[in-house]
Amino acid sequence: MKKQYQTGDVVVGKVTGIQPYGAFVALDDETQGLVHISEITYGYVKEVSDYLAVGQEVNVKVLEVDEKSNKISLSIRATQEKPPAPRKDGGQRQSLQSKVDERDSEGFNSLRDKMQEWIRKSGQ
């Protein structure tokens, strides 16, 4: 009996073939799917074989099941935690909210001081 796979399923598969555009992964004895090169990992992948080898077991997430053509689209990347985006200077990127929080006390205090000065000047 052939197992049915649904979009969103996460399963362990075995790499059965590598092509320039991705890797074929067997999900069971009768079913295999394709991990497109863009779904192997986060970032740029030039050579699939730099990341995968035939016979390697990998966690994959089912992205799409096309029952008419019997094709299953898979993703290894979807099973990985997204890495933080690097900054141009090599450090970690800070969220916009963190930047605002960091500068709030300084920015609003100087505005508060200016406001007091403006109020004094308007009363003259």
Side-chain angles (χ1 to χ4, degrees), residues 15-24 47-54:
V15 177
T16 59
I18 294 178
Q19 297 294 323
Y21 51 84
F24 289 96
E47 293 289 333
V48 176
S49 59
D50 289 343
Y51 295 87
L52 299 172
V54 173

Side-chain angles (χ1 to χ4, degrees), residues 46-98:
K46 183 175 182 180
E47 293 289 333
V48 176
S49 59
D50 289 343
Y51 295 87
L52 299 172
V54 173
Q56 178 181 352
E57 287 194 348
V58 292
N59 290 327
V60 292
K61 183 173 185 176
V62 177
L63 297 180
E64 184 180 356
V65 177
D66 185 342
E67 294 190 25
K68 290 181 184 176
S69 64
N70 276 337
K71 292 184 179 178
I72 299 178
S73 297
L74 303 170
S75 175
I76 297 170
R77 182 178 73 172
T79 66
Q80 302 168 341
E81 186 174 324
K82 186 175 181 178
R87 291 178 20 179
K88 289 180 183 175
D89 63 4
Q92 296 292 342
R93 232 182 228 180
Q94 190 177 21
S95 72
L96 179 58
Q97 186 61 52
S98 297

Side-chain angles (χ1 to χ4, degrees), residues 1 7 15-16 19 28-30 34 44 46-47 56 59 79 82-84 87-88 100 102 108 112 116 120-121:
M1 183 176 149
T7 299
V15 177
T16 59
Q19 297 294 323
D28 58 39
D29 290 338
E30 299 176 11
L34 174 69
Y44 178 71
K46 183 175 182 180
E47 293 289 333
Q56 178 181 352
N59 290 327
T79 66
K82 186 175 181 178
R87 291 178 20 179
K88 289 180 183 175
V100 169
E102 184 178 286
F108 286 109
R112 190 177 301 123
Q116 294 302 323
R120 271 196 318 276
K121 285 184 180 179

